[in-house]
Amino acid sequence: MIVGGSVVVPGDKSLTHRALMFAALARGTSRIEGALTSLDARSTARVLRQLGVEVGPLRPGAVVTVRGRGALRRPAVRLHCGNSGTTTRLLLGLLAAHPFRAVLTGDASLRRRPMRRVTVPLTRMGARFEEHGGRDGLPLAVRGGPLAPLEYELPVSSAQIKSALLLAGVAGKVRVSLREPHGRSRDHTERMLQAFGYQVRDRAGWLDFEPTGSLVPFEFRVPGDPSSAAFLVGAAALAEQGTIRVEAVGVNPTRVGFVHVLRRMGVPIVVENEHERQGEPVGDLVASPASLRATEVEPAEVPALIDEIPLLAVVASRAKGTTVFREVGELRVKESDRLGLLAANLRAVGADAEVSGDDLHVGGGNGAPRGYVRTDGDHRLAMAFAVLGTVPGAKIRIDDLRCADVSFPGFPDALRSVSRHR
């Protein structure tokens, strides 16, 4: 396969969620350009509308206007968060400081995802929760109110948990101190808070938040999502020749761990045209094919590349040697049992893969990958194996590539636009 050309990926999913929520709490009209229009982003926009916020339509190429009222209003219906864990967990943080009862639910996949990792610390702050049938998941009712300050050590390094607690601090106007156990998770929330004048600082491994700022209407241009860009970079790594440029991508250091791993595997990747947008670094990712070699991904690296492990694993299946991903058990509670399915699907297409405890081992080979891939509706698995399907001689059937719309609308077209067979 030959790759070539320049491509722009959809707006960053993490930043789109956060921009919509910050705008919802600001009193006045904010304008968000380049917002992601995926199913997950639409879920956030939908529930914010149900909470009394005026959110314009999310359409490709359109500027989204958000008219906030300074606070959320009691919803008249259940808040359906679709497949979006980010929508759910961040919203729980916001609702924890609002004096009314709201019920959150989601699709079958989201209802299986654990929520106590967020509700336990929010309960310490003063919020109350009602679980459905005593199980850890959705549906879940939250009744918020005045909050107390929090000092808390997270059970896992997670941007969703961290952001939920920081947003509770913002909405409740209370101090929050957090410590993550394994490396620093993505820091978009911290950067946005600092832009609004809030004090967020590191203190000997603790993250301290002080409610010193104020949310005001803003304008923001969302950069391209690095997690989406990773799949096109991966296609370049697996190609026989050519170069791909992915333009105006967010290159926040807490989001591009996959770049460092691919470089260790031999992939030439450079960042060009670097600049900043409201504190977020942005640049073009330029990547070319490589003679791939195995590597080991350490636990401290995982928070900065957790969403890209499916892509890195399919690339590793073409490398010389065995690649090991250490302590990636968190993948079991993503949109699917991503860890188990990833290994099973790699074996289904002829690769060598096994899970040992919380570690994933992927052996490399050069046989043409062929077989049937079951995604359980997991968008990142679908896209990763679509990338593997670009290898010459590959015959991979994916049960549901449409689920890629959760994070990357138009993914199949984007992949075709930068790749062609000899």
Side-chain angles (χ1 to χ4, degrees), residues 62-409:
V63 175
V64 181
T65 57
V66 181
R67 185 179 178 187
R69 303 177 184 276
L72 305 177
R73 294 184 176 181
R74 183 193 307 270
V77 297
R78 283 190 172 195
L79 303 173
H80 199 293
C81 300
N83 186 246
S84 179
T86 304
T87 301
T88 309
R89 291 176 175 140
L90 270 59
L91 191 61
L92 286 171
L94 291 181
L95 292 173
H98 285 76
F100 54 74
R101 182 179 184 273
V103 178
L104 282 69
T105 190
D107 67 11
S109 171
L110 184 59
R111 291 197 300 272
R112 293 193 297 267
R113 299 181 69 178
M115 295 296 154
R116 286 179 186 161
R117 51 183 54 187
V118 174
T119 61
V120 166
L122 288 175
T123 299
R124 291 190 186 183
M125 296 180 76
R128 289 176 288 166
F129 298 91
E130 303 163 23
E131 296 179 342
H132 180 73
R135 58 180 295 275
D136 182 10
L138 302 180
L140 179 68
V142 53
R143 186 180 296 277
L147 298 181
L150 176 72
E151 182 173 295
Y152 185 68
E153 295 194 42
L154 276 64
V156 295
S157 295
S158 166
Q160 289 183 2
I161 303 173
K162 177 176 63 176
S163 296
L165 301 178
L166 290 173
L167 289 174
V170 171
K173 298 180 174 59
V174 296
R175 178 183 56 79
V176 175
S177 293
L178 306 172
R179 185 183 181 95
E180 295 187 272
H182 297 299
R184 188 180 184 187
S185 62
R186 59 187 64 175
D187 65 355
H188 299 306
T189 302
E190 297 96 300
R191 288 173 181 260
M192 294 185 80
L193 287 171
Q194 288 170 333
F196 286 106
Y198 289 94
Q199 180 178 300
V200 186
R201 62 185 179 88
D202 290 322
R203 173 181 54 85
W206 286 83
L207 181 71
D208 290 341
F209 163 83
E210 296 284 350
T212 54
S214 176
L215 295 180
V216 295
F218 59 92
E219 295 189 1
F220 181 46
R221 184 180 177 190
V222 181
D225 195 316
S227 294
S228 295
F231 294 99
L232 302 180
V233 171
L238 296 179
E240 296 168 292
Q241 64 184 68
T243 298
I244 289 177
R245 178 183 294 272
V246 189
E247 299 179 350
V249 176
V251 290
N252 182 312
T254 63
R255 293 292 304 281
V256 292
F258 74 92
V259 170
H260 304 301
V261 173
L262 288 174
R263 283 173 175 163
R264 288 205 307 266
M265 298 178 77
V267 183
I269 305 174
V270 296
V271 181
E272 299 181 350
N273 301 326
E274 288 190 74
H275 58 285
E276 283 199 355
R277 293 182 187 171
Q278 293 178 311
E280 286 286 346
V282 181
D284 297 350
L285 294 179
V286 183
S288 302
S291 177
L292 297 166
R293 56 181 178 269
T295 189
E296 184 163 324
V297 177
E298 297 293 341
E301 297 180 273
V302 171
L305 51 76
I306 187 70
D307 287 338
E308 291 75 54
I309 288 175
L311 181 277
L312 293 172
V314 301
V315 172
S317 74
R318 310 298 297 174
K320 182 179 180 180
T322 298
T323 295
V324 182
F325 300 86
R326 299 288 185 194
E327 295 188 24
V328 291
E330 182 68 8
L331 291 175
R332 292 192 175 97
V333 291
K334 291 292 185 179
E335 287 84 338
S336 65
D337 173 7
R338 189 174 284 171
L339 182 57
L341 271 178
L342 179 54
N345 283 320
L346 283 167
R347 292 192 296 269
V349 299
D352 178 17
E354 66 171 320
V355 176
S356 176
D358 284 340
D359 298 345
L360 173 65
H361 299 252
V362 181
N366 53 18
R370 299 184 178 189
Y372 180 78
V373 169
R374 180 170 67 88
T375 64
D376 276 7
D378 191 316
H379 54 126
R380 300 202 193 278
L381 289 179
M383 290 188 285
F385 282 92
V387 169
L388 187 60
T390 64
V391 170
K395 291 186 178 180
I396 295 178
R397 292 180 298 127
I398 300 170
D399 66 351
D400 181 16
L401 188 53
R402 291 176 300 177
C403 66
D405 285 349
V406 165
S407 61
F408 194 157

